[in-house]
Amino acid sequence: GESVGLHLPTLSVQEGDNSIINCAYSNSASDYFIWYKQESGKGPQFIIDIRSNMDKRQGQRVTVLLNKTVKHLSLQIAATQPGDSAVYFCAETSMNTGTASKLTFGTGTRLQVTL
Amino acid sequence: GAVVSQHPSWVICKSGTSVKIECRSLDFQATTMFWYRQFPKQSLMLMATSNEGSKATYEQGVEKDKFLINHASLTLSTLTVTSAHPEDSSFYICSAGGPTSGRANEQFFGPGTRLTVL
């Protein structure tokens, strides 16, 4: 599959508020999903992942929700900080045992944290 | 652990020349490496997947004769952009995965290489 981003939606939140970033994925056969953070001029950084046998997973200040019925992912960031400002991408794939599989990236959302 | 590096971090070249970008896994064996291209304000687009010792598998629409990929060792893959033109200017990102990374099903991303073709 391919993901082509023609524009980058922006979410502005105030420091200390919670952020919710949404993503619609395309392949119903995908069973592994990852959220990445990308700062300007850098490569993607892993944030959190979730497998299709789960609908929620929590990390430190982040929570990922998966709704397979409507093929929707969300990333929730609690108490958003200025350092959270970046572009966030979801990615989907099918897991192969013992090997990395190719990822299909979503369009991305730019998160701007205002003081 | 699971660190991936790229070299160079940025490069400027003249139209018609070739440019080689290196991707290295520093602390694990990368049995699989991926090359992505990212245009400004856009998402990452997979160009090709390479397995060590095998020919790369290119995504639809990616010219294999223009984007030469070599994955000759378990720690190094190279992407050569041949006869580069201004439209090839982009941010090229590699990722690598392998069982010895500690997380066999995941891929770890390099910092990217900014290519500008004049």
Side-chain angles (χ1 to χ4, degrees):
Chain A
E2 295 183 7
S3 174
V4 178
L6 299 178
H7 67 280
L8 210 53
T10 299
L11 174 67
S12 285
V13 298
Q14 217 163 7
E15 182 181 5
D17 287 352
N18 296 334
S19 303
I20 299 176
I21 300 171
N22 296 303
C23 173
Y25 65 92
S26 56
N27 189 348
S28 55
S30 295
D31 57 9
Y32 181 51
F33 307 88
I34 308 168
W35 279 100
Y36 290 95
K37 173 186 180 183
Q38 186 180 30
E39 295 175 289
S40 182
K42 297 184 178 179
Q45 175 189 353
F46 174 94
I47 301 174
I48 192 169
D49 59 357
I50 189 167
R51 299 189 182 187
S52 59
N53 60 353
M54 303 171 70
D55 52 24
K56 180 179 179 179
R57 189 155 188 245
Q58 287 185 290
Q60 194 173 22
R61 274 203 313 121
V62 294
T63 301
V64 54
L65 299 178
L66 173 63
N67 184 331
K68 294 183 289 294
T69 304
V70 294
K71 293 191 285 189
H72 183 268
L73 273 172
S74 69
L75 175 71
Q76 301 177 2
I77 304 173
T80 313
Q81 302 168 359
D84 295 327
S85 294
V87 178
Y88 290 80
F89 293 97
C90 67
E92 60 179 300
T93 189
S94 297
M95 287 190 75
N96 293 320
T97 304
T99 60
S101 304
K102 65 180 187 179
L103 297 170
T104 300
F105 281 82
T107 306
T109 298
R110 179 177 301 282
L111 177 64
Q112 289 181 336
V113 182
T114 58
L115 302 177
Chain B
V3 179
V4 176
S5 70
Q6 282 184 242
H7 178 80
S9 55
W10 59 270
V11 56
I12 301 172
C13 70
K14 292 182 179 179
S15 186
T17 61
S18 295
V19 174
K20 181 185 284 188
I21 302 169
E22 293 184 348
C23 177
R24 293 182 186 272
S25 56
L26 299 185
D27 52 3
F28 68 100
Q29 293 180 330
T31 51
T32 308
M33 283 184 165
F34 304 87
W35 285 96
Y36 296 84
R37 179 168 51 182
Q38 185 178 33
F39 293 108
K41 298 186 179 181
Q42 293 191 21
S43 188
L44 283 76
M45 295 281 293
L46 180 66
M47 299 175 69
T49 303
S50 74
N51 293 299
E52 186 265 339
S54 303
K55 287 185 179 180
T57 301
Y58 290 80
E59 294 298 300
Q60 193 172 8
V62 178
E63 300 174 59
K64 59 181 68 175
D65 293 332
K66 180 168 181 65
F67 298 99
L68 302 179
I69 292 172
N70 184 284
H71 189 172
S73 81
L74 284 171
T75 59
L76 173 65
S77 176
T78 60
L79 167 67
T80 301
V81 183
T82 62
S83 187
H85 291 284
E87 58 265 30
D88 298 322
S89 298
S90 189
F91 193 49
Y92 291 86
I93 306 170
C94 74
S95 67
T100 62
S101 68
R103 297 166 74 170
N105 294 107
E106 293 193 27
Q107 50 189 282
F108 300 89
F109 285 85
T113 297
R114 172 77 56 195
L115 170 64
T116 302
V117 185
L118 302 177

